[in-house]
Amino acid sequence: MYRVDPADRTVLIASADARPPEPRQLYIRTPGPGGGEVTYRPNVEFLDAKMYRPHLFGASMDHDLQEGVSDTVRRGLERNEGLMNNRVTQTREGYSDKIGHHVRKTLKYKLIPAVKGEIRAGRARLGIISPNDCARFAMVLLCLIRDRGIRSSVTAMMTLKPRIAALRYNCWIGDMMMLGYGDGSRHGITCVAVDNGARQFVTLEANAWKILVKPEFFIYNSMNELINTHMANDLANPRSLVRFLPQNATHPVIERNIEPANMLAGARELDRLIGKWGKKGFHDIWHMTATAAAVPVLYDRG
């Protein structure tokens, strides 16, 4: 039996006999008193670009970090775009350098020490630093679960209308869904735990529509509940769909450098860049970690 901490969606609470979420090496496990419930926290840090653009150009972040992308953040983003496009002195390269300097400090003094610290302490074997992108993070989980030898229930690409998916499909560990909305946006989700007795499945999700510093756990009692939670306003839209991806899948919005070997190489490259100083290093760090082309990096105790 699973439940999410009502005060913190980054914490999953499980009964002592429940299977740990997968990939289990990624989670910091804390036993409860007397052998009771167990808590799991993912050793994951998100570098959300939305936290940097408004901050540099005057938008207040204190309230926004708690409430998600508010009107203040949107105005800051719009103002930033205007500065980038209209001010002669604010070139795109200068913007990348400036943001990269802030990102470097966050990575060097906060995110990388946090992830590596949990690994060094033996509380987790893996750690991820990722952009807050739902599809990329869902594919990371799919690949890591696959590499643990856990087979998902999806053996071939399936594309269904939301109403059909809600009625016909059950979830298993490692199953990945790409929800496609009528306006062309998407949301990627991967299942990390299942309790068949309680008719529950657990997901760990990024969400580019929010400001997040860690992924959040969600529990669904059925595929119907998941579809209605995320797609209630799109059920009748002829363009909306639900795509189920097998573990060897490719998808136009997901690069193959999300494979674990490439993410490990990315972590080595990030460590190298963090040690550099100057505009070239700042620019490279920004583009590697916080732009639309960024992919996650993986730290492994081995």
Side-chain angles (χ1 to χ4, degrees), residues 104 108 269-278 280-282 284-285:
R104 178 183 181 272
K108 183 174 183 178
E269 175 65 8
L270 180 59
D271 285 345
R272 185 187 72 82
L273 291 174
I274 292 301
K276 295 178 65 177
W277 182 264
K280 177 66 163 63
F282 300 159
D284 290 346
I285 288 167

PDB file of all heavy atoms in Angstrom, residues 104 108 269-278 280-282 284-285:
ATOM      1  N   ARG A 104      25.758  27.823 -13.022  1.00  0.00           N
ATOM      2  CA  ARG A 104      26.989  27.189 -12.526  1.00  0.00           C
ATOM      3  C   ARG A 104      27.037  27.227 -11.005  1.00  0.00           C
ATOM      4  O   ARG A 104      27.366  26.224 -10.356  1.00  0.00           O
ATOM      5  CB  ARG A 104      28.216  27.895 -13.102  1.00  0.00           C
ATOM      6  CG  ARG A 104      29.547  27.334 -12.588  1.00  0.00           C
ATOM      7  CD  ARG A 104      30.719  28.133 -13.137  1.00  0.00           C
ATOM      8  NE  ARG A 104      31.984  27.602 -12.671  1.00  0.00           N
ATOM      9  CZ  ARG A 104      32.577  27.972 -11.527  1.00  0.00           C
ATOM     10  NH1 ARG A 104      31.993  28.868 -10.740  1.00  0.00           N
ATOM     11  NH2 ARG A 104      33.729  27.437 -11.165  1.00  0.00           N
ATOM     12  N   LYS A 108      27.190  23.930  -8.781  1.00  0.00           N
ATOM     13  CA  LYS A 108      28.423  23.657  -8.047  1.00  0.00           C
ATOM     14  C   LYS A 108      28.205  23.617  -6.544  1.00  0.00           C
ATOM     15  O   LYS A 108      28.771  22.764  -5.844  1.00  0.00           O
ATOM     16  CB  LYS A 108      29.471  24.711  -8.387  1.00  0.00           C
ATOM     17  CG  LYS A 108      30.824  24.453  -7.711  1.00  0.00           C
ATOM     18  CD  LYS A 108      31.886  25.426  -8.180  1.00  0.00           C
ATOM     19  CE  LYS A 108      33.234  25.102  -7.538  1.00  0.00           C
ATOM     20  NZ  LYS A 108      34.301  26.009  -8.019  1.00  0.00           N
ATOM     21  N   GLU A 269      31.095  15.251 -18.195  1.00  0.00           N
ATOM     22  CA  GLU A 269      31.272  16.506 -18.910  1.00  0.00           C
ATOM     23  C   GLU A 269      30.784  17.687 -18.071  1.00  0.00           C
ATOM     24  O   GLU A 269      31.417  18.753 -18.053  1.00  0.00           O
ATOM     25  CB  GLU A 269      30.521  16.458 -20.245  1.00  0.00           C
ATOM     26  CG  GLU A 269      30.519  17.754 -21.042  1.00  0.00           C
ATOM     27  CD  GLU A 269      31.896  18.176 -21.527  1.00  0.00           C
ATOM     28  OE1 GLU A 269      32.861  17.383 -21.385  1.00  0.00           O
ATOM     29  OE2 GLU A 269      32.015  19.298 -22.036  1.00  0.00           O
ATOM     30  N   LEU A 270      29.694  17.512 -17.352  1.00  0.00           N
ATOM     31  CA  LEU A 270      29.187  18.591 -16.503  1.00  0.00           C
ATOM     32  C   LEU A 270      30.187  18.903 -15.403  1.00  0.00           C
ATOM     33  O   LEU A 270      30.460  20.079 -15.108  1.00  0.00           O
ATOM     34  CB  LEU A 270      27.841  18.200 -15.903  1.00  0.00           C
ATOM     35  CG  LEU A 270      27.185  19.244 -14.993  1.00  0.00           C
ATOM     36  CD1 LEU A 270      26.940  20.544 -15.751  1.00  0.00           C
ATOM     37  CD2 LEU A 270      25.869  18.712 -14.428  1.00  0.00           C
ATOM     38  N   ASP A 271      30.749  17.876 -14.782  1.00  0.00           N
ATOM     39  CA  ASP A 271      31.759  18.105 -13.747  1.00  0.00           C
ATOM     40  C   ASP A 271      32.952  18.884 -14.314  1.00  0.00           C
ATOM     41  O   ASP A 271      33.519  19.755 -13.652  1.00  0.00           O
ATOM     42  CB  ASP A 271      32.233  16.776 -13.167  1.00  0.00           C
ATOM     43  CG  ASP A 271      31.197  16.150 -12.234  1.00  0.00           C
ATOM     44  OD1 ASP A 271      30.258  16.856 -11.824  1.00  0.00           O
ATOM     45  OD2 ASP A 271      31.334  14.958 -11.915  1.00  0.00           O
ATOM     46  N   ARG A 272      33.328  18.570 -15.544  1.00  0.00           N
ATOM     47  CA  ARG A 272      34.436  19.282 -16.176  1.00  0.00           C
ATOM     48  C   ARG A 272      34.076  20.761 -16.399  1.00  0.00           C
ATOM     49  O   ARG A 272      34.874  21.649 -16.101  1.00  0.00           O
ATOM     50  CB  ARG A 272      34.788  18.622 -17.513  1.00  0.00           C
ATOM     51  CG  ARG A 272      36.014  19.228 -18.201  1.00  0.00           C
ATOM     52  CD  ARG A 272      36.210  18.644 -19.582  1.00  0.00           C
ATOM     53  NE  ARG A 272      35.214  19.124 -20.533  1.00  0.00           N
ATOM     54  CZ  ARG A 272      35.281  20.285 -21.173  1.00  0.00           C
ATOM     55  NH1 ARG A 272      36.297  21.115 -20.944  1.00  0.00           N
ATOM     56  NH2 ARG A 272      34.351  20.645 -22.035  1.00  0.00           N
ATOM     57  N   LEU A 273      32.875  20.998 -16.893  1.00  0.00           N
ATOM     58  CA  LEU A 273      32.460  22.370 -17.161  1.00  0.00           C
ATOM     59  C   LEU A 273      32.318  23.186 -15.883  1.00  0.00           C
ATOM     60  O   LEU A 273      32.627  24.382 -15.867  1.00  0.00           O
ATOM     61  CB  LEU A 273      31.138  22.376 -17.925  1.00  0.00           C
ATOM     62  CG  LEU A 273      31.171  21.872 -19.364  1.00  0.00           C
ATOM     63  CD1 LEU A 273      29.760  21.815 -19.930  1.00  0.00           C
ATOM     64  CD2 LEU A 273      32.059  22.754 -20.224  1.00  0.00           C
ATOM     65  N   ILE A 274      31.855  22.566 -14.819  1.00  0.00           N
ATOM     66  CA  ILE A 274      31.684  23.268 -13.550  1.00  0.00           C
ATOM     67  C   ILE A 274      33.023  23.783 -13.045  1.00  0.00           C
ATOM     68  O   ILE A 274      33.106  24.804 -12.363  1.00  0.00           O
ATOM     69  CB  ILE A 274      31.021  22.335 -12.509  1.00  0.00           C
ATOM     70  CG1 ILE A 274      29.581  22.035 -12.901  1.00  0.00           C
ATOM     71  CG2 ILE A 274      31.064  22.937 -11.109  1.00  0.00           C
ATOM     72  CD1 ILE A 274      28.706  23.243 -13.021  1.00  0.00           C
ATOM     73  N   GLY A 275      34.103  23.089 -13.387  1.00  0.00           N
ATOM     74  CA  GLY A 275      35.424  23.508 -12.958  1.00  0.00           C
ATOM     75  C   GLY A 275      36.000  24.649 -13.774  1.00  0.00           C
ATOM     76  O   GLY A 275      37.054  25.190 -13.427  1.00  0.00           O
ATOM     77  N   LYS A 276      35.314  25.011 -14.853  1.00  0.00           N
ATOM     78  CA  LYS A 276      35.817  26.087 -15.710  1.00  0.00           C
ATOM     79  C   LYS A 276      35.227  27.436 -15.263  1.00  0.00           C
ATOM     80  O   LYS A 276      34.168  27.496 -14.672  1.00  0.00           O
ATOM     81  CB  LYS A 276      35.446  25.824 -17.167  1.00  0.00           C
ATOM     82  CG  LYS A 276      36.105  24.599 -17.766  1.00  0.00           C
ATOM     83  CD  LYS A 276      35.661  24.366 -19.192  1.00  0.00           C
ATOM     84  CE  LYS A 276      36.083  25.465 -20.135  1.00  0.00           C
ATOM     85  NZ  LYS A 276      35.713  25.195 -21.533  1.00  0.00           N
ATOM     86  N   TRP A 277      35.932  28.504 -15.597  1.00  0.00           N
ATOM     87  CA  TRP A 277      35.455  29.847 -15.274  1.00  0.00           C
ATOM     88  C   TRP A 277      35.553  30.691 -16.536  1.00  0.00           C
ATOM     89  O   TRP A 277      36.456  30.525 -17.341  1.00  0.00           O
ATOM     90  CB  TRP A 277      36.291  30.460 -14.155  1.00  0.00           C
ATOM     91  CG  TRP A 277      35.807  31.817 -13.744  1.00  0.00           C
ATOM     92  CD1 TRP A 277      36.275  33.017 -14.178  1.00  0.00           C
ATOM     93  CD2 TRP A 277      34.747  32.111 -12.858  1.00  0.00           C
ATOM     94  NE1 TRP A 277      35.573  34.052 -13.606  1.00  0.00           N
ATOM     95  CE2 TRP A 277      34.629  33.524 -12.788  1.00  0.00           C
ATOM     96  CE3 TRP A 277      33.872  31.325 -12.108  1.00  0.00           C
ATOM     97  CZ2 TRP A 277      33.684  34.158 -12.001  1.00  0.00           C
ATOM     98  CZ3 TRP A 277      32.929  31.965 -11.318  1.00  0.00           C
ATOM     99  CH2 TRP A 277      32.836  33.362 -11.254  1.00  0.00           C
ATOM    100  N   GLY A 278      34.600  31.573 -16.708  1.00  0.00           N
ATOM    101  CA  GLY A 278      34.637  32.459 -17.853  1.00  0.00           C
ATOM    102  C   GLY A 278      33.428  32.289 -18.735  1.00  0.00           C
ATOM    103  O   GLY A 278      32.636  31.364 -18.582  1.00  0.00           O
ATOM    104  N   LYS A 280      32.905  31.384 -21.832  1.00  0.00           N
ATOM    105  CA  LYS A 280      32.738  30.157 -22.614  1.00  0.00           C
ATOM    106  C   LYS A 280      32.176  29.047 -21.737  1.00  0.00           C
ATOM    107  O   LYS A 280      31.248  28.337 -22.125  1.00  0.00           O
ATOM    108  CB  LYS A 280      34.099  29.738 -23.197  1.00  0.00           C
ATOM    109  CG  LYS A 280      34.074  28.413 -23.980  1.00  0.00           C
ATOM    110  CD  LYS A 280      33.229  28.538 -25.243  1.00  0.00           C
ATOM    111  CE  LYS A 280      33.524  27.399 -26.216  1.00  0.00           C
ATOM    112  NZ  LYS A 280      33.168  26.074 -25.667  1.00  0.00           N
ATOM    113  N   GLY A 281      32.719  28.901 -20.536  1.00  0.00           N
ATOM    114  CA  GLY A 281      32.221  27.874 -19.622  1.00  0.00           C
ATOM    115  C   GLY A 281      30.788  28.136 -19.206  1.00  0.00           C
ATOM    116  O   GLY A 281      29.958  27.219 -19.180  1.00  0.00           O
ATOM    117  N   PHE A 282      30.450  29.394 -18.890  1.00  0.00           N
ATOM    118  CA  PHE A 282      29.084  29.723 -18.480  1.00  0.00           C
ATOM    119  C   PHE A 282      28.099  29.406 -19.607  1.00  0.00           C
ATOM    120  O   PHE A 282      27.019  28.844 -19.376  1.00  0.00           O
ATOM    121  CB  PHE A 282      28.979  31.210 -18.122  1.00  0.00           C
ATOM    122  CG  PHE A 282      29.872  31.646 -16.996  1.00  0.00           C
ATOM    123  CD1 PHE A 282      30.218  32.976 -16.852  1.00  0.00           C
ATOM    124  CD2 PHE A 282      30.367  30.730 -16.080  1.00  0.00           C
ATOM    125  CE1 PHE A 282      31.031  33.389 -15.815  1.00  0.00           C
ATOM    126  CE2 PHE A 282      31.185  31.133 -15.036  1.00  0.00           C
ATOM    127  CZ  PHE A 282      31.517  32.464 -14.916  1.00  0.00           C
ATOM    128  N   ASP A 284      28.455  27.267 -22.080  1.00  0.00           N
ATOM    129  CA  ASP A 284      28.330  25.819 -22.299  1.00  0.00           C
ATOM    130  C   ASP A 284      27.485  25.161 -21.212  1.00  0.00           C
ATOM    131  O   ASP A 284      26.700  24.248 -21.486  1.00  0.00           O
ATOM    132  CB  ASP A 284      29.714  25.172 -22.340  1.00  0.00           C
ATOM    133  CG  ASP A 284      30.505  25.551 -23.589  1.00  0.00           C
ATOM    134  OD1 ASP A 284      29.884  26.089 -24.529  1.00  0.00           O
ATOM    135  OD2 ASP A 284      31.720  25.320 -23.606  1.00  0.00           O
ATOM    136  N   ILE A 285      27.640  25.606 -19.979  1.00  0.00           N
ATOM    137  CA  ILE A 285      26.853  25.042 -18.871  1.00  0.00           C
ATOM    138  C   ILE A 285      25.371  25.329 -19.078  1.00  0.00           C
ATOM    139  O   ILE A 285      24.519  24.456 -18.894  1.00  0.00           O
ATOM    140  CB  ILE A 285      27.338  25.616 -17.525  1.00  0.00           C
ATOM    141  CG1 ILE A 285      28.708  25.027 -17.178  1.00  0.00           C
ATOM    142  CG2 ILE A 285      26.333  25.314 -16.411  1.00  0.00           C
ATOM    143  CD1 ILE A 285      29.407  25.749 -16.053  1.00  0.00           C
TER     144      ILE A 285
END
